[in-house]
Amino acid sequence: MIGTGSISIADVDPHLLRTFLAVADTGSFSAAAQTLRYTQSAVSQQIATLEADLGTPLLTRRPVALTPAGERLRRHAALILVRLEAARADVTRALAPGRLDLGLTPLAWAAPVATALATIRADSTPLRTHVRVAGRDRIVEAVATGEYDLGLLDGFTAPNDPLRLPEPGAGGPRSIGVAESPAVVAVPAGHPLRGRRRVDLTDLADAYWIDAPEIAPFTRLPVDGLRASLRYDGCDVTVLTGLIAAGHGLAVLPEPLVAAHDGLVGVPVARLVHRVELLSLRADDGPAARLSAMLSAAT
């Protein structure tokens, strides 16, 4: 409970919480109004109503800033709204069984996933399956709210270390590792590095890299000082490998992907692997739970 009144956080209108978070995130009543497509006076009235309900100021006005009570509410409000969205999606899914929504980052597709999904589709007729490619943050959010049944996320990390993902909070989605493969620096077939048995990324600080935030962001690699010669904002892996093969820059990629490309050579990276993790929220008996159980058993 926040404040001295008899109103608890469970009694608060979710619309008021959304407005409060918009003001807290933007730091402005007018910016929140634009985001929510409300008038500024409507936003001010909703914040005043929320403060009256909870019996405490949540925001200072000039400048706009969170009070200590507002800081505490912000932590709770975000989780409450996520759980409400997840409950809504779960109820909707119960009314329409036989569907599986899977979100994945561009490099997250792995052989164990393909095999398990094929088994489930063969055993679950009819099963409407929707596979969506998206960025890591989008997938984490969509799984947390129940929009996606499952998420497949990939990244580079030390061997046997998990990916660094946002903290899920109580009752939030959890991840399990489903695949690991060697990480390699992808270089053109005629590149001077092609004959190296292994390379340390710190030795490549002077090399030119391709920054592909949606596929293989070099900013997430465990080394500082790398510089980009080209930025690719798409999520088509074929375009990225074509840019590397044409000599526009280097990228760290999973070894199986590079090995399948005739114009590329993979140089192993010391102390680094490509890891794929499965993100899930619910534990029911549907196709999402079956896929999660099959992948967990395979690790």
Side-chain angles (χ1 to χ4, degrees), residues 107 136 153-164 177-185 198-199 201 216-217 220-222 252-256 267-277:
L107 298 184
R136 179 187 290 190
L153 310 173
D154 81 285
F156 296 94
T157 184
N160 300 314
D161 279 359
L163 298 178
R164 293 182 179 180
V178 298
E180 271 192 8
S181 59
V184 298
V185 176
R198 189 170 299 274
V199 68
L201 291 179
R220 286 184 180 163
L221 296 175
V252 174
L253 295 173
E255 189 275 337
V267 183
V269 180
R271 302 179 299 278
L272 196 68
V273 298
H274 177 254
R275 181 176 171 89
V276 177
E277 293 187 3

Side-chain angles (χ1 to χ4, degrees), residues 177-251:
V178 298
E180 271 192 8
S181 59
V184 298
V185 176
V187 302
H191 196 276
L193 287 175
R194 67 187 184 279
R196 294 277 293 272
R197 296 182 59 185
R198 189 170 299 274
V199 68
D200 195 308
L201 291 179
T202 56
D203 297 333
L204 300 178
D206 293 331
Y208 288 105
W209 293 80
I210 296 176
D211 183 19
E214 298 300 320
I215 304 178
F218 77 90
T219 53
R220 286 184 180 163
L221 296 175
V223 62
D224 296 324
L226 303 182
R227 54 182 176 170
S229 62
L230 183 148
R231 179 183 172 104
Y232 171 54
D233 283 322
C235 58
D236 189 327
V237 178
T238 303
V239 173
L240 176 59
T241 53
L243 289 169
I244 300 169
H248 292 285
L250 311 180

